[in-house]
Amino acid sequence: MPHHCAVIGNPIAHSRSPEIHAGFAAARGIELQYDRILAADEADFAAIVARFFADGGRGLNVTVPFKQTAYRLCGRTTPYAAAAEAVNTLWMENGQLCGDNTDGRGLCLALQEHGITLKNARILILGAGGAARGVILPLCEANPAVLHLANRTLAKAEAVIASQQPLTAVPLAAYSLNDLARLDAYDLIINATSTGLSNEPLALPANLAHCNSRAYDMQYGKTTPFLAWAAAQQITAHDGYSMLVAQARLSFQQWFPL
Ligand code: ATR
């Protein structure tokens, strides 16, 4: 009998998770059935999760727009999930639904693989939604010099910083996108806005980059306006596929410990 895992979201047809997890399973000699599941809404999501584990399912990945719902359903969560208030990895333990958020640690591993140093770096995150929130604490654990969040809506960035600053000694600050033209350059600029999905323009000033700055877009699979900006600055940039694989590896290790 294969172990049963799946990813739930809406939309879900585009998800690359099945092929990524099939690779991990093959490497470990584990028989795995990994499905894509479309949930219509929050109630449908909750019902699918309950049925999946009642039927003996091993683990679920959760993607947009249900990560916050998944967090609320859990009886126990890791500190990373609590800081993000979002869960991307679910499993059952002693009859309790448990959740982790591997996105931020996945991002850090991906950045390491790209040879990007986080210690003492000046880091800028663009965006203040769920994607940005989920990566702040793991990035801070690598001891950057500063971590700044810039968002179209300043109040949202300020609220995220206010919730995360008590969790870290790294100096955090919130800015609006309009403030960026007066800021010093950053060593690492991470795009966590949804502009790549919607293909909306993201106007960024040139002063954000110095010649050794690195850029990382949490979106994958397309040339986003952010990646186009990085190319125009002639700085090295990466899309989010490496983060997708790394966060998936951490989920897989949760379900199938070594
Ligand atoms: P996710 O869960 O992927 O983070 P989200 O919570 O909807 O999605 O957040 C989307 C982020 O992209 C927000 O920071 C949003 O800015 P606002 O808070 O001002 O809405 C940002 N975003 C979306 N469209 C944008 C645009 N055209 N220009 C700049 N930022 C944009």
Side-chain angles (χ1 to χ4, degrees):
M1 272 278 280
H3 296 287
H4 193 194
C5 294
V7 57
I8 311 187
N10 189 345
I12 202 62
H14 68 287
S15 172
R16 312 263 316 255
S17 293
E19 70 201 56
I20 293 170
H21 282 277
F24 298 150
R28 292 265 306 274
I30 290 169
E31 221 189 316
L32 176 70
Q33 181 192 333
Y34 188 108
D35 297 327
R36 295 182 185 89
I37 303 176
L38 178 72
D41 52 30
E42 285 198 7
D44 191 32
F45 174 81
I48 290 169
V49 169
R51 198 166 55 238
F52 178 87
F53 287 109
D55 289 348
R58 182 91 175 202
L60 286 172
N61 280 133
V62 182
T63 189
V64 175
F66 299 117
K67 291 184 188 183
Q68 285 82 9
T69 317
Y71 174 70
R72 288 193 294 273
L73 289 177
C74 285
R76 187 167 72 76
T77 57
T78 63
Y80 298 107
E85 294 177 13
V87 153
N88 76 337
T89 307
L90 289 168
W91 68 98
M92 203 55 111
E93 219 171 284
N94 303 324
Q96 200 173 37
L97 185 65
C98 300
D100 189 13
N101 191 320
T102 65
D103 285 334
R105 282 170 289 150
L107 172 64
C108 292
L109 288 170
L111 294 170
Q112 249 173 38
E113 283 163 16
H114 294 307
I116 296 172
T117 307
L118 298 176
K119 191 172 164 57
N120 295 327
R122 279 174 54 79
I123 301 178
L124 174 67
I125 300 177
L126 303 166
R133 188 186 180 93
V135 300
I136 293 174
L137 185 62
L139 284 170
C140 286
E141 287 180 348
N143 291 315
V146 297
L147 190 149
H148 294 169
L149 204 61
N151 196 42
R152 180 174 61 181
T153 312
L154 174 61
K156 255 171 87 176
E158 287 174 335
V160 171
I161 293 300
S163 74
Q164 303 293 301
Q165 188 65 87
L167 306 175
T168 178
V170 174
L172 307 179
Y175 294 102
S176 85
L177 294 180
N178 297 329
D179 293 327
L180 294 178
R182 63 175 176 80
L183 299 180
D184 291 338
Y186 290 88
D187 303 308
L188 173 62
I189 305 156
I190 298 168
N191 181 31
T193 71
S194 53
T195 51
L197 274 180
S198 56
N199 218 22
E200 287 171 316
L202 184 63
L204 297 173
N207 58 287
L208 292 183
H210 56 65
C211 58
N212 292 317
S213 295
R214 304 286 289 268
Y216 194 90
D217 198 323
M218 286 169 62
Q219 294 288 318
Y220 65 88
K222 61 200 305 203
T223 304
T224 61
F226 174 73
L227 290 177
W229 173 83
Q233 311 312 307
Q234 298 183 309
I235 62 174
T236 306
H238 308 272
D239 84 353
Y241 189 71
S242 50
M243 173 180 171
L244 180 75
V245 174
Q247 63 77 29
R249 184 177 296 116
L250 293 168
S251 296
F252 191 86
Q253 287 167 355
Q254 171 62 54
W255 304 327
F256 302 102
L258 282 165

